[in-house]
Amino acid sequence: MSAEWKQIIANIKEWVKEAGAEQVKRLDQPMEVKSKSSTIDLVTEVDVWTDEFLRQKIKASYPDHSILTEEQDFHEGASDYEWVVDPIDGTVNYAHQFPMFCISVALKYKGETVIGVVYAPKLGECYEAMKGEGAYLNGNPISVSQTDNLKAAVVATGFPYDRATDPQNNVKEFNAVILKVGGVRRTGSAAIDLCQVASGRFDGYWEYKINPWDFEAGLLLVQEAGGKVQKVKQEKGYFVLVGNEPIYTELQDLL
Ligand code: IPD
Ligand code: CA
Ligand code: CA
């Protein structure tokens, strides 16, 4: 493991813990909530605050790196490094004071994700992975589940914000899967869903029309925990499918 990457992951953990503490502090205070692309796609003032907080931290330590965050324009740097940040994944949950939200931070080097950190402050869970070094939850190694049949599997998914107006809304796929599996969960945070697969609590996850800030950190976590991952760029966003090997394969057949 490069000493430089080790230092970067330590920095990220310090930043997300500071930002997460602020998110928890502001969770039950009155806050400004605005709609983005649709009336159900929300952004709170805490999303904006966290986005700016993390950008400033990254810029101060790594001024030549590129930065992609959900709430601001792409910042073009001069190096091969690119950060991909979701300041709050699970904003609708956050706006409803439901504790299933997190900060997701990925670092790419020459186009490949090499570091992923997902911190869910209300759950007290910090997931981290570095390329080739395994996946960890609060410092303890994690791995995907052993479940090998769909009937026993619990899987997660999500639905796009434009689901009422665009027929590509995952309803048909959800109906196909729900009849075959032990259970389906919808946490409202793609990054948390991916971390649940990495930690073996869920056996698989799929979603359509999601964005790099939702999944880049979580995909590395699943990979490093021994899972299979697929990400396909589509007309609108990405299709992502992950799981332990047998459940991944069964889900792929159904979708
Ligand atoms: C959303 C969450 C949700 C997923 C949506 C995402 P946001 O991110 O990850 O689970 O279903 O597709 O956009 O808006 O809370 O950052
Ligand atoms: Ca998100
Ligand atoms: Ca977000």
Side-chain angles (χ1 to χ4, degrees):
M1 182 196 303
S2 102
E4 190 194 353
W5 289 0
K6 217 173 157 182
Q7 182 56 52
I8 294 178
I9 212 166
N11 289 345
I12 299 171
K13 285 197 287 182
E14 194 188 302
W15 302 337
V16 295
K17 290 204 174 153
E18 194 180 334
E22 183 70 14
Q23 292 178 350
V24 169
K25 200 171 97 193
R26 291 165 76 164
L27 184 60
D28 53 10
Q29 292 170 16
M31 75 180 87
E32 193 183 340
V33 183
K34 289 187 188 146
S35 300
K36 295 206 287 189
S37 57
S38 68
T39 47
I40 53 172
D41 185 3
L42 307 178
V43 57
T44 73
E45 62 186 55
V46 185
D47 292 71
V48 175
W49 176 86
T50 308
D51 198 286
E52 181 58 19
F53 173 87
L54 291 172
R55 280 172 90 101
Q56 290 311 326
K57 291 286 186 193
I58 296 166
K59 277 189 186 168
S61 297
Y62 309 103
D64 58 338
H65 290 191
S66 301
I67 311 174
L68 173 67
T69 64
E70 182 175 5
E71 311 301 347
Q72 294 184 55
D73 292 337
F74 180 64
H75 165 77
E76 178 90 59
S79 80
D80 287 325
Y81 285 99
E82 182 186 335
W83 294 75
V84 184
V85 175
D86 195 336
I88 299 183
D89 186 52
T91 294
V92 174
N93 292 342
Y94 188 80
H96 286 254
Q97 300 178 358
F98 181 58
M100 218 52 88
F101 61 87
C102 64
I103 302 170
S104 177
V105 179
L107 178 64
K108 294 175 133 189
Y109 178 65
K110 294 189 173 173
E112 189 188 21
T113 305
V114 292
I115 288 173
V117 175
V118 173
Y119 179 50
K122 262 300 216 187
L123 307 181
E125 296 196 337
C126 186
Y127 296 83
E128 64 182 285
M130 197 176 295
K131 186 87 199 153
E133 300 289 337
Y136 298 84
L137 163 54
N138 291 343
N140 300 310
I142 49 174
S143 58
V144 295
S145 69
Q146 305 280 319
T147 311
D148 62 1
N149 72 88
L150 267 186
K151 277 207 172 96
V154 173
V155 301
T157 192
F159 300 89
Y161 289 118
D162 63 358
R163 58 187 170 265
T165 51
D166 185 343
Q168 204 212 351
N169 58 9
N170 198 27
V171 169
K172 185 166 65 66
E173 291 81 1
F174 172 79
N175 286 339
V177 174
I178 186 83
L179 301 176
K180 306 270 182 195
V181 294
V184 181
R185 299 291 179 267
R186 197 289 199 249
T187 70
S189 162
I192 288 179
D193 289 333
L194 288 160
C195 288
Q196 302 321 293
V197 176
S199 60
R201 295 169 178 162
F202 292 168
D203 306 297
Y205 157 79
W206 84 94
E207 189 160 350
Y208 295 88
K209 299 202 282 194
I210 57 172
N211 293 297
W213 47 80
D214 301 314
F215 61 72
E216 288 296 8
L219 280 190
L220 180 66
L221 271 144
V222 173
Q223 237 164 354
E224 288 296 320
K228 286 204 73 172
V229 314
Q230 184 186 146
K231 121 183 141 179
V232 183
K233 175 100 183 77
Q234 298 190 319
E235 201 192 323
K236 288 189 188 168
Y238 287 78
F239 165 69
V240 165
L241 168 65
V242 305
N244 72 26
E245 189 158 357
I247 300 305
Y248 171 96
T249 308
E250 299 236 38
L251 285 175
Q252 196 172 27
D253 292 345
L254 283 173
L255 295 170

